[in-house]
């Protein structure tokens, strides 16, 4: 019989324990930073009504046009991003009634049917932060500074690029100007951009095709078309970034692939990631909450791709950062009677908060010591037949190989605490 070899689907990836260490580190640092900035966690479903994404991300975007995993018969879609879901929850639970400004974050998987490549998956993960209800430019700068701090605390470098996309007042005249300009180039643009010229002209500005990017160098700039309020807002955002000492550059060609943005948009670009160089991105969406049927409130946020953060951490070649999971004590027992004591000992140690391990297969001391090494054990407690007669075990420090007797006389209830005391004392020395 021919047995089918089962594999994960293309673009969907298993994250094995060695790599999970990096993921946990990223998640821990993200949570810590988000809490420092007063954000609270919100957990959301990974499936929503398709209409939510069509209305927020935009009908003419690549994401909605061709990248969504939709169950057409049910009218539902695996979320391609978290902002829309978060705002749906925000509106549904009337969260604005509790407090004028809501600061929220969420961490989890997203799904986009893109062509998989380095740093681009079909199931990927984001840490995602949003501040809802504040229009002040300080918040824009604070959010970007928070992203920058996250990268710094992970030991990573990326450059911050910022732009302003204006508002419903200044964007339409700009769009018109841009379409006029693009129409003149029409024959020379790539086929995607020819189609985008009317469907989504702003996207032409960040086409990756070298010919297109050359052709748009002289295109009208959104920054020259901003209304007074938007222009002032962006100037203040920049002044705030300067005040905080956040390095950034203005990129007038940055337009983002989601339609909900207004005013400030930004991306963190890591130049050693290859084609998928954006490690994080975000911006303001001042009209979106109202468009989704909620109160008239502004919002701003960003998301970082965890897979891309992991790639950058791996590239530094100091993978484990001392993060490897360690065992405190490995109990090596020799003989049946010792194994019985060991079995009870391991459980008592675990009850007292010690990471303890044991091998039950009755292997030789040498094999057990090898196993202790594999588990990165800091100590091994050896219980042999001779030791058992004296009611003691031998506690060996695996780093400096020093050994000391460990009495088993006082019974299991006190073993854990005593061992914990020894280990902690050694650590603090
Ligand atoms: P986005 O630019 O679509 O924005 O995605 C943000 C980040 O998610 C990207 O910079 C990248 O690191 C990661 N990412 C996106 N697609 C993939 C993929 N296929 N594979 C791996 N990583 C990927 C948003 O999603 C917005 N919701 C961000 C936001 C929040 N704006 C305001 N609030």
């Amino acid at each position: 019989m021919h047995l089918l070899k089962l594999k994960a689907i293309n673009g969907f990836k298993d994250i094995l324990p060695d790599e999970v260490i990096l993921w946990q580190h990223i998640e821990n640092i993200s949570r810590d930073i988000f809490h420092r900035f007063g954000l609270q966690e919100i957990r959301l479903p990974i499936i929503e009504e398709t209409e939510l994404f069509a209305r927020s991300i935009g009908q003419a975007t690549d994401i909605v046009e061709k990248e969504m995993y939709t169950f057409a018969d049910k009218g539902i879609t695996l979320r391609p991003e978290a902002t829309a879901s978060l705002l749906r929850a925000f509106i549904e639970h009337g969260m604005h009634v509790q407090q004028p400004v809501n600061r929220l974050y969420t961490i989890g998987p997203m799904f986009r049917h893109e062509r998989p490549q380095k740093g681009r998956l079909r199931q990927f993960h984001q840490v995602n932060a949003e501040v809802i209800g504040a229009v002040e430019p300080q918040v824009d700068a604070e959010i970007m500074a928070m992203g920058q701090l996250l990268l710094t605390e992970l030991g990573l470098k990326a450059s911050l690029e910022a732009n302003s996309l204006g508002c419903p007042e200044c964007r339409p005249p700009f769009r018109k100007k841009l379409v006029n300009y693009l129409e003149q180039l029409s024959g020379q643009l790539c086929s995607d951009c020819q189609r985008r010229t009317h469907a989504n002209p702003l996207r032409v500005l960040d086409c990756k095709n070298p010919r297109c990017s050359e052709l748009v160098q002289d295109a009208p700039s959104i920054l020259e078309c901003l209304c007074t309020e938007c222009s002032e807002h962006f100037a203040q955002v920049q002044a705030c970034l300067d005040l905080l000492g956040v390095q950034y550059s203005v990129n007038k060609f940055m337009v983002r692939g989601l339609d909900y943005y207004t005013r400030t948009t930004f991306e963190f670009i890591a130049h050693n990631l290859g084609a998928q160089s954006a490690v994080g991105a975000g911006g303001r969406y001042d009209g979106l909450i109202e468009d989704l049927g909620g109160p008239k409130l502004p919002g701003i946020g960003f998301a970082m791709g965890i897979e891309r953060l992991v790639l950058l951490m791996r590239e530094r070649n100091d993978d484990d950062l001392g993060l490897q999971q360690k065992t405190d004590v490995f109990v090596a027992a020799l003989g049946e009677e010792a194994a019985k004591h060991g079995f009870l000992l391991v459980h008592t140690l675990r009850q007292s908060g010690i990471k303890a391990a044991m091998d039950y297969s009755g292997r030789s001391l040498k094999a057990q010591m090898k196993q202790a090494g594999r588990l990165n054990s800091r100590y091994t407690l050896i219980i042999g037949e001779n030791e058992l007669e004296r009611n003691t075990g031998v506690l060996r420090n695996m780093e400096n190989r020093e050994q000391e007797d460990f009495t088993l006389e006082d019974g299991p209830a006190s073993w854990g605490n005593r061992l914990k005391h020894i280990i902690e004392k050694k650590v603090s020395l």
Side-chain angles (χ1 to χ4, degrees):
M1 193 176 63
H2 176 70
L3 276 182
L4 196 68
K5 202 166 166 196
L6 294 170
K7 290 202 306 184
I9 307 167
N10 190 18
F12 291 72
K13 196 175 118 194
D14 300 310
I15 301 134
L16 303 183
D18 268 359
E19 192 177 305
V20 168
I21 294 169
L22 295 177
W23 283 65
Q24 288 171 339
H25 182 62
I26 292 167
E27 288 160 11
N28 290 341
I29 299 247
S30 304
R31 279 176 207 284
D32 183 35
I33 291 178
F34 291 159
H35 294 164
R36 273 185 253 163
F37 281 76
L39 276 70
Q40 291 178 299
E41 183 168 4
I42 181 166
R43 299 192 183 195
L44 304 159
I46 58 163
I47 295 195
E48 298 276 353
E49 283 187 38
T50 307
E51 195 195 334
L52 170 66
F53 302 118
R55 267 171 60 184
S56 54
I57 300 169
Q59 214 39 274
T61 57
D62 283 354
I63 298 180
V64 173
E65 261 186 2
K66 39 189 189 201
E67 294 170 2
M68 297 211 297
Y69 284 93
T70 295
F71 299 84
D73 56 336
K74 311 238 175 5
I76 55 177
T77 292
L78 287 176
R79 63 177 182 193
E81 59 116 42
T83 310
S85 308
L86 190 142
L87 296 182
R88 193 268 310 138
F90 172 83
I91 296 166
E92 185 174 335
H93 301 284
M95 290 175 79
H96 66 289
V97 180
Q98 312 283 330
Q99 41 192 334
V101 178
N102 278 265
R103 298 171 157 254
L104 299 163
Y105 76 89
T106 195
I107 301 178
M110 313 292 152
F111 305 84
R112 293 184 196 173
H113 191 267
E114 295 184 85
R115 195 170 47 78
Q117 64 179 87
K118 182 181 167 196
R120 190 160 72 190
L121 289 115
R122 289 179 170 172
Q123 177 179 337
F124 61 97
H125 299 73
Q126 290 181 340
V127 296
N128 187 102
E130 312 288 351
V131 176
I132 304 165
V135 73
E136 298 80 12
Q138 284 86 343
V139 179
D140 302 45
E142 183 189 40
I143 283 282
M144 287 184 256
M146 182 167 74
Q148 190 64 268
L149 185 63
L150 176 50
L151 292 165
T152 306
E153 293 203 4
L154 289 172
L156 304 176
K157 281 206 178 76
S159 42
L160 171 62
E161 298 184 357
N163 193 17
S164 174
L165 292 182
C167 67
E169 208 161 289
C170 48
R171 183 111 51 99
F174 167 69
R175 193 180 189 274
K176 217 175 193 173
K177 251 178 149 174
L178 182 62
V179 172
N180 282 344
Y181 177 84
L182 296 174
E183 275 172 346
Q184 285 161 28
L185 301 173
S186 177
Q188 306 168 62
L189 295 167
C190 74
S191 56
D192 268 347
C193 284
Q194 295 195 22
R195 195 176 44 83
R196 286 180 190 135
T197 296
H198 292 102
N200 199 349
L202 269 69
R203 288 299 296 176
V204 179
L205 294 176
D206 78 345
C207 177
K208 298 289 175 284
N209 183 315
R211 178 84 185 119
C212 294
S213 49
E214 203 186 304
L215 285 167
V216 297
Q217 283 308 311
D218 297 324
S221 157
I222 176 83
L223 294 177
E224 283 151 21
C225 300
L226 294 179
C227 62
T228 317
E229 284 83 12
C230 287
S231 177
E232 264 169 22
H233 190 270
F234 192 46
Q236 285 175 26
V237 170
Q238 293 179 68
C240 290
L241 286 171
D242 292 337
L243 187 67
L244 298 181
V246 176
Q247 303 268 328
Y248 67 95
S249 58
V250 174
N251 175 359
K252 63 178 183 176
F253 292 117
M254 187 214 298
V255 295
R256 311 280 300 118
L258 304 95
D259 280 356
Y260 51 61
Y261 291 112
T262 54
R263 295 193 166 173
T264 313
T265 53
F266 57 93
E267 287 184 348
F268 292 100
I269 304 291
H271 299 284
N272 43 349
L273 266 183
Q276 302 308 315
S277 58
V279 64
R284 220 169 232 298
Y285 41 83
D286 289 349
L288 180 57
I289 298 166
E290 202 180 7
D291 285 350
L292 292 175
K296 190 170 166 32
L297 284 175
I300 180 167
F302 74 83
M304 297 255 184
I306 300 186
E307 283 81 359
R308 294 188 191 173
L309 292 170
V310 168
L311 275 176
L312 289 172
M313 290 174 80
R314 288 235 139 129
E315 245 160 53
R316 291 186 330 182
N317 266 341
D318 52 352
D319 265 22
D320 73 7
L321 301 160
L323 299 170
Q324 275 209 358
Q325 207 160 320
K326 289 203 164 61
T327 304
D328 295 319
V329 183
F330 183 87
V331 176
L334 295 165
E336 232 170 78
E337 199 48 34
K340 226 158 127 187
H341 274 74
F343 186 51
L344 177 58
L345 176 61
V346 164
H347 188 58
T348 349
L349 296 183
R350 288 171 178 163
Q351 282 172 320
S352 349
I354 294 175
K355 296 189 196 95
M358 183 180 168
D359 181 275
Y360 302 129
S361 64
R363 281 188 275 181
S364 69
L365 181 60
K366 197 171 157 204
Q368 293 195 53
M369 295 307 276
K370 220 170 165 182
Q371 179 64 2
R374 268 189 224 115
L375 295 176
N376 287 314
S377 194
R378 291 159 53 201
Y379 286 88
T380 306
L381 184 65
I382 305 162
I383 315 176
E385 314 245 288
N386 292 344
E387 281 90 0
L388 210 55
E389 263 169 34
R390 291 189 287 121
N391 234 336
T392 50
V394 174
L395 186 66
R396 179 203 278 246
N397 181 324
M398 298 292 278
E399 228 167 69
N400 61 18
R401 290 164 192 268
E402 272 174 23
Q403 302 201 151
E404 62 185 278
D405 279 355
F406 183 83
T407 177
L408 301 171
E409 222 141 55
D410 46 1
S414 48
W415 296 342
N417 282 338
R418 205 146 40 78
L419 204 50
K420 202 167 169 180
H421 189 69
I422 296 175
I423 292 175
E424 277 165 8
K425 201 171 73 198
K426 287 271 155 56
V427 170
S428 64
L429 281 179

